[in-house]
DNA sequence: ATGAAAGCGCTAACAC
DNA sequence: GTGTTAGCGCTTTCAT
């Protein structure tokens, strides 16, 4: 390339990274030559020298509406900052390790760890010098890694407050996976606030954060147990299943039982469900995570816990009002 | 590192890429040293030398359930092949160009172009020597780029066949965006097959591939026009909106009007909708695309058009049968 | 304003 | 089985 333009390689570099330092006519000559032979600066070589890739890695679960939204948000926000997103989706936790390896090998500028089901052990492994790691919506990471999360506990508390205003005497919490730290926080918020009102709150585990799990558990409940006044579900996706399961079994929502969700998926406001839920301000969370990742000052083990907002849908509107 | 282990750099390389060539004790000495100082081979340097990154780029729209599924599938399948996925999400078509730049700069091993709304002009720009580009579900690219796509036309034909068996006399096609090539193919399949039965098929444009667009168009239709026996909707997401819009307006689905979708999203089979739709075999499409990208033999401008399957849901089940 | 030269960390060819 | 050497394509002093 340098030869083609009749200049030194140093000048070529300058044309593409600090054009100000190069005479207009030389610059033109270089650009012409580049177009002629289809030259494009090699980012790999640049990274080798500069020790920066401008690529951020993200470990995100492959399943679930919520995570998809998070991923989308990350990808957009990073693009705005001139960074690329290298995606490590994972089904099981073992692959998290693969991601970490890749992060080290590719010398990524940082890594986002998003998922509520990564073990403490893995999290500890992430504490190390080198590229910065930020945990996303993963309360378990508190004190281990810098963390950005929605305020899960306050979220379900707020939902209880709203529901209580509708008048309820009995309740139940339907979680996805009991080990998930988000599930635990959400249950805690619900149980505490309900407890303050003198209402008990049993925990029922659906078994997965999926529609099907919600559907199944709702079918079983409507057969066996006595239905509570309100079912607080740990995530919207499970809640949709719960609602459909109840309705299929002939139970009216919200006529016979009120239902709340958590996350604030777009579908929550669809007319078919219009689910009362806690809306996570995903873009805010993501911006905060990116800031922690990219800011010059070390975030240490700082935690950012950001509140969500209650969306009041039809599923908690008493019909007899 | 070489110094730390007391061997040459070449030996270090061998330990990590062809361990067979190195004596066991030397190997141990190198690994110990690596652990001691936290050494990890630098993939950037390797890429610079080998001219391969083991990273595949993907340009995918940021909106829409369908594309999210496609993305997830790509990410998983590539991981199985030891490749990483660099994600370029894009809202508007201008960003496609950014992606192409990045592909060139990072010397990616290939690029997947997924989206039905990339202009011919941009597609032509992708025809170039260098890393391979494969178009995904983008009929416009036929003859320009190697293409993998579901058979859109045959898909709506198959849906017509199923619907006709239920007995219909009038129909309508609700598209997302008229310019989208997938929309055009899907309309063509529906119109042709309906025409063969002597049934006319007007095209109505919702304006976007979203729930809201479907909801709105359904509200308008149920107010003004006379409802057809069947509304064939160009995508599931729009179809959900159409169904909710109709039901909110007091129109029964499938009592008053049958509805079909296209894509086969997981939600289609949810009890709330149980939408008859054409299921795209996403994993098959994705595998095919990856094969085209990575296979040694040049795919040229070969097109792979893969058939989908009809899922028969409740939305086309005549109530009076 | 431009060039020369060293070096980022690895791989591959060749020697021993 | 291991070392030596050259070079991938940039960036960055240091000269001129």
């Amino acid at each position: 390339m340098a030869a083609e333009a009749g200049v030194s390689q140093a000048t070529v570099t300058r044309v593409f990274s600090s054009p100000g330092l190069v005479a207009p006519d030389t610059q033109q000559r270089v650009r012409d030559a580049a177009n002629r032979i289809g030259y494009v600066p090699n980012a790999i070589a640049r990274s080798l020298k500069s020790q920066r890739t401008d690529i951020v890695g993200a470990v995100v679960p492959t399943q679930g509406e919520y995570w998809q939204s998070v991923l989308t948000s990350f990808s957009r926000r990073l693009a705005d900052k001139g960074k690329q997103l290298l995606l490590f989706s994972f089904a099981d936790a073992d692959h998290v390790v693969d991601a970490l390896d890749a992060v080290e090998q590719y010398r990524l500028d940082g890594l986002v760890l998003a998922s509520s089901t990564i073990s403490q052990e893995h999290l500890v492994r992430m504490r190390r010098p080198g590229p910065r790691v930020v945990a996303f919506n993963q309360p378990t990471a508190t004190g281990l890694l810098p963390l950005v999360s929605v305020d899960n506990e306050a979220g379900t508390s707020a939902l209880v407050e709203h529901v209580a205003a509708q008048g309820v005497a009995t309740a139940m919490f339907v979680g996805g996976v009991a080990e998930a730290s988000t599930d635990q926080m959400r249950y805690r918020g619900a149980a505490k606030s309900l407890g303050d009102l003198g209402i008990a709150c049993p925990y029922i585990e659906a078994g997965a954060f999926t529609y099907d799990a919600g559907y199944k558990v709702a079918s079983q409940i409507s057969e066996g147990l006595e239905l509570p006044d309100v079912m607080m579900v740990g995530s919207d996706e499970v809640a949709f299943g719960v609602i459909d399961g109840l309705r299929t079994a002939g139970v009216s929502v919200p006529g016979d039982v009120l239902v709340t969700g958590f996350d604030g998926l777009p579908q929550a406001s669809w007319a078919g469900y219009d689910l009362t839920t806690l809306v996570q301000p995903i873009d805010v969370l993501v911006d905060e995570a990116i800031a922690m990742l990219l800011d010059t000052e070390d975030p240490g083990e700082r935690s950012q816990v950001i509140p969500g907002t209650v969306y009041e849908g039809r599923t908690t509107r008493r019909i007899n009002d």
Side-chain angles (χ1 to χ4, degrees), chain A:
Chain A
M1 170 57 198
E4 174 76 19
V7 298
S8 72
Q9 176 54 36
T11 299
V12 177
T13 294
R14 291 187 188 109
V15 169
F16 287 98
S17 47
S18 14
L21 304 178
V22 94
D25 48 329
T26 315
Q27 211 168 124
Q28 199 51 54
R29 207 144 30 88
V30 172
R31 293 196 189 280
D32 288 348
N35 286 331
R36 210 174 316 126
I37 65 173
Y39 167 86
V40 176
N42 186 324
I44 306 288
R46 182 188 309 134
S47 293
L48 182 57
K49 185 103 255 268
S50 63
Q51 308 289 47
R52 285 183 32 256
T53 48
D54 285 325
I55 295 179
V56 171
V59 178
V60 184
T62 47
Q63 294 294 336
E65 301 288 328
Y66 170 72
W67 293 113
Q68 308 258 29
S69 313
V70 170
L71 177 60
T72 298
S73 180
F74 264 110
S75 140
R76 280 212 275 233
R77 299 300 178 145
L78 285 171
D80 292 345
K81 302 221 171 229
K83 305 271 177 192
Q84 310 294 347
L85 206 197
L86 192 62
L87 176 62
F88 304 93
S89 53
F90 78 105
D92 49 298
D94 296 341
H95 288 54
V96 177
V97 181
D98 297 348
L100 185 58
D101 289 349
V103 170
E104 293 182 317
Q105 298 205 0
Y106 282 98
R107 306 296 195 262
L108 301 184
D109 290 0
L111 179 70
V112 178
L113 261 188
S115 160
S116 50
T117 53
I118 297 177
S119 69
Q120 286 269 346
E121 185 196 347
H122 284 314
L123 289 173
V124 172
R125 186 143 144 34
M126 299 283 165
R127 289 166 55 86
R128 44 166 63 246
R132 212 171 277 174
V133 179
V134 171
F136 189 91
N137 262 4
Q138 217 175 341
T140 335
T142 315
L144 289 175
L145 254 33
L147 163 74
V148 176
S149 172
V150 72
D151 193 333
N152 290 290
E153 200 170 331
T156 39
S157 280
L159 286 170
V160 167
E161 194 173 335
H162 163 70
V163 165
Q166 315 294 306
V168 295
T170 56
M172 170 187 290
F173 184 90
V174 180
V177 177
E179 289 82 39
S181 51
T182 49
D183 230 40
Q184 293 163 6
M185 306 291 285
R186 291 171 194 181
Y187 173 64
R188 195 188 307 175
K192 264 193 199 167
S193 297
L194 284 166
D196 290 347
L197 301 170
I199 303 174
C201 184
Y203 176 95
I204 310 288
E205 184 181 28
F209 288 104
T210 62
Y211 174 92
D212 287 340
Y215 189 91
K216 204 169 297 171
V217 86
S219 311
Q220 292 166 353
I221 290 173
S222 53
E223 275 177 17
L225 291 69
E226 199 171 331
L227 281 168
D229 291 342
V230 60
M231 292 176 71
M232 303 194 62
V233 187
S235 93
D236 285 355
E237 202 158 343
V238 177
F240 297 139
V242 167
I243 293 173
D244 281 351
L246 290 170
R247 287 180 178 161
T248 303
V251 177
S252 164
V253 177
D256 300 324
V257 49
L258 306 184
V259 175
T260 65
F262 202 108
D263 285 342
L265 300 186
Q267 286 116 301
S269 57
W270 287 10
Y273 296 104
D274 198 29
L275 172 68
T276 291
T277 186
L278 191 109
V279 182
Q280 295 199 37
I282 293 184
D283 284 340
V284 176
L285 293 169
V286 165
D287 281 344
E288 187 59 40
I290 292 177
M292 281 189 182
L293 219 47
L294 269 28
D295 276 5
T296 38
E297 99 182 85
D298 189 318
E301 289 157 8
R302 176 164 66 113
S303 280
Q304 278 286 337
V305 178
I306 296 167
T309 56
V310 173
Y311 168 78
E312 306 186 1
R314 211 162 14 94
T315 58
T316 52
R317 205 166 299 153
R318 280 256 179 256
I319 288 178
N320 56 355
D321 60 1

